[in-house]
Amino acid sequence: MDFAEFLKKQAQIINIRLEEVFAETSKKVSEASPELNKLFDEFINSSRDGKRIRGSLVLLGYQIGGGSDFSKVVDGAVAFEIFQTSILAQDDVIDKSLLRRGKPSLYKALGGDDKAIAQALCLSDLGFFTGYRLISSLKIEDSLKIKAVNLFSQTLIQTVLGEMLDVETPFLERDFLNEDALKIALLKTARYTISGPLMLGAILAGGDVERLKKLQIFGDNLGTAFQIQDDILGIFGEEKITGKSSTADIKECKASLLISHAQKEANSEQKEILEKYYGNSNVDESGVEEVKRIFQETGAVDYAKSQAEKYFFKAEESLKGMEEGLLLSLVEFLRKREA
């Protein structure tokens, strides 16, 4: 079985349990007020159509750690999926993104005004705490449950710190640095996309410390490659395929290897164009095309692709001695993705 087959199979299991959790949570929402259900329904809708990669990696980590009964730990997988929906909802508010998973982002679906933003933030908080409830209620040994909650907490903290860096970096009185993009990629993306889910699953199976360390090294490298690749797709990908806006990264002045390399290599004319359009919330289509042109001309796109490949290779190298074919298949799966 390759990872694509594993993902398809586990996504079905996760989706079934996810709907059950949402039904259970809807009852609690109704107890507070039936008026809140229409809001929570939008949160549920925003969670649909996800690929369930993170939840599936929890189950893969559990399998790698020696576990075999996915039914015991599927709530850990669901917790990560609900966390992703929640963090994306907040990310879209921060970035003013109107599109997510091929449909209106949560705050936009709620109306797009200040009240909608407030409700989107509250719903995402509800999602975070629901994730904690799911993990803390797992029917496993208390010692493993404590480790799992700690790992989940660390992952959430690192993701938030990465988000804070992502917001703050464009306001620094200097050009972007490669180090900025790589640190954000590690904290904001790699830890909750690859490392955290794999390690959580391995912990739930009682995996040993050495295996956890190897999974973290693998996940950090693969997750960094994933984010570099995502930055390229975020500007050069097709919206109908990625399900995300192809102008948001330019408008929000996103710190990436693309902009750091372009600023370093640009001539004076190109720098003026970048200063005019990159980070301009009102940039039009011609301005976006100008930024894309400079990214091409300065070699920023080729550089970013080479760095993504470097981290894909480092992820593969870290697997030596682990004998885990599904992880190698995961690398290939992500390397070829278009969304």
Side-chain angles (χ1 to χ4, degrees):
M1 180 185 295
D2 63 12
F3 183 75
E5 293 175 296
F6 181 85
L7 175 61
K8 183 178 180 180
K9 183 176 181 180
Q10 306 317 319
Q12 292 174 342
I13 295 172
I14 293 166
N15 281 331
I16 290 171
R17 180 55 184 151
L18 184 59
E19 291 299 325
E20 292 174 349
V21 170
F22 282 148
E24 294 165 4
T25 309
S26 289
K27 291 179 182 178
K28 296 181 184 298
V29 171
S30 289
E31 289 172 5
S33 172
E35 295 297 319
L36 298 179
N37 274 116
K38 62 180 182 290
L39 302 175
F40 189 61
D41 285 345
E42 288 294 348
F43 181 86
I44 294 173
N45 184 54
S46 71
S47 77
R48 292 181 175 135
D49 301 319
K51 293 183 282 290
R52 309 306 180 215
I53 290 175
R54 292 156 186 81
S56 294
L57 291 183
V58 172
L59 300 181
L60 178 55
Y62 179 69
Q63 180 175 293
I64 291 170
S68 58
D69 186 355
F70 287 156
S71 66
K72 288 184 177 180
V73 297
V74 68
D75 277 7
V78 170
F80 255 103
E81 289 298 329
I82 294 176
F83 166 65
Q84 189 197 14
T85 295
S86 300
I87 202 70
L88 291 180
Q90 294 198 355
D91 193 51
D92 288 338
V93 167
I94 292 168
D95 299 340
K96 300 182 178 64
S97 296
L98 304 180
L99 196 65
R100 177 66 68 177
R101 289 171 171 167
K103 53 195 173 187
S105 54
L106 180 57
Y107 84 93
K108 184 63 177 176
L110 291 169
D113 55 10
D114 288 345
K115 178 186 175 186
I117 289 173
Q119 294 293 16
L121 295 177
C122 290
L123 287 166
S124 60
D125 287 343
L126 179 61
F128 295 145
F129 298 128
T130 298
Y132 274 107
R133 180 182 67 78
L134 290 170
I135 294 175
S136 64
S137 300
L138 288 171
K139 293 179 173 55
I140 57 173
E141 294 177 24
D142 286 346
S143 60
L144 297 180
K145 197 182 302 185
I146 291 170
K147 290 179 180 179
V149 170
N150 283 338
L151 187 279
F152 192 64
S153 299
Q154 290 170 22
T155 303
L156 267 63
I157 288 170
Q158 289 167 336
T159 304
V160 172
L161 290 173
E163 183 72 71
M164 291 171 68
L165 276 174
D166 200 21
V167 171
E168 186 66 21
T169 302
F171 294 95
L172 300 177
E173 296 294 324
R174 59 169 172 76
D175 283 348
F176 292 106
L177 303 174
N178 287 353
E179 290 82 357
D180 297 328
L182 294 175
K183 177 61 72 68
I184 292 167
L186 175 64
L187 293 177
K188 182 180 173 182
T189 301
R191 292 280 162 83
Y192 102 89
T193 300
I194 313 290
S195 312
L198 283 172
M199 293 173 68
L200 179 73
I203 285 171
L204 295 176
D208 59 84
V209 174
E210 190 60 33
R211 188 175 295 273
L212 290 172
K213 287 180 180 178
K214 288 184 177 181
L215 286 175
Q216 180 164 17
I217 293 170
F218 168 79
D220 285 355
N221 282 297
L222 184 57
T224 299
F226 179 94
Q227 182 57 57
I228 296 171
Q229 186 185 55
D230 205 59
D231 290 339
I232 299 170
L233 289 172
I235 293 177
F236 292 92
E238 295 183 37
E239 285 189 3
K240 62 182 180 181
I241 296 176
T242 65
K244 297 182 287 186
S245 168
S246 60
T247 63
D249 286 0
I250 293 174
K251 289 180 177 180
E252 72 178 79
C253 202
K254 183 175 179 60
S256 69
L257 292 182
L258 290 168
I259 185 61
S260 62
H261 187 83
Q263 284 181 329
K264 181 180 177 182
E265 298 298 325
N267 57 37
S268 58
E269 180 184 348
Q270 291 169 329
K271 284 183 177 179
E272 284 182 13
I273 293 172
L274 289 176
E275 288 174 6
K276 180 178 180 181
Y277 293 122
Y278 201 81
N280 182 345
S281 60
N282 297 312
V283 65
D284 58 16
E285 186 175 341
S286 64
V288 169
E289 290 303 316
E290 282 289 277
V291 172
K292 291 166 72 172
R293 176 179 64 82
I294 292 171
F295 282 170
Q296 294 278 14
E297 290 177 352
T298 57
V301 178
D302 289 337
Y303 175 74
K305 287 180 178 178
S306 71
Q307 291 303 297
E309 187 53 41
K310 169 187 168 183
Y311 282 97
F312 278 127
F313 178 74
K314 289 173 72 172
E316 290 173 328
E317 286 292 292
S318 72
L319 292 177
K320 287 184 177 178
M322 284 188 68
E323 299 180 1
E324 185 44 62
L326 268 176
L327 291 180
L328 279 174
S329 179
L330 169 62
V331 175
E332 257 336 277
F333 177 84
L334 295 180
R335 184 182 264 135
K336 294 177 180 178
R337 76 188 181 100
E338 295 182 348

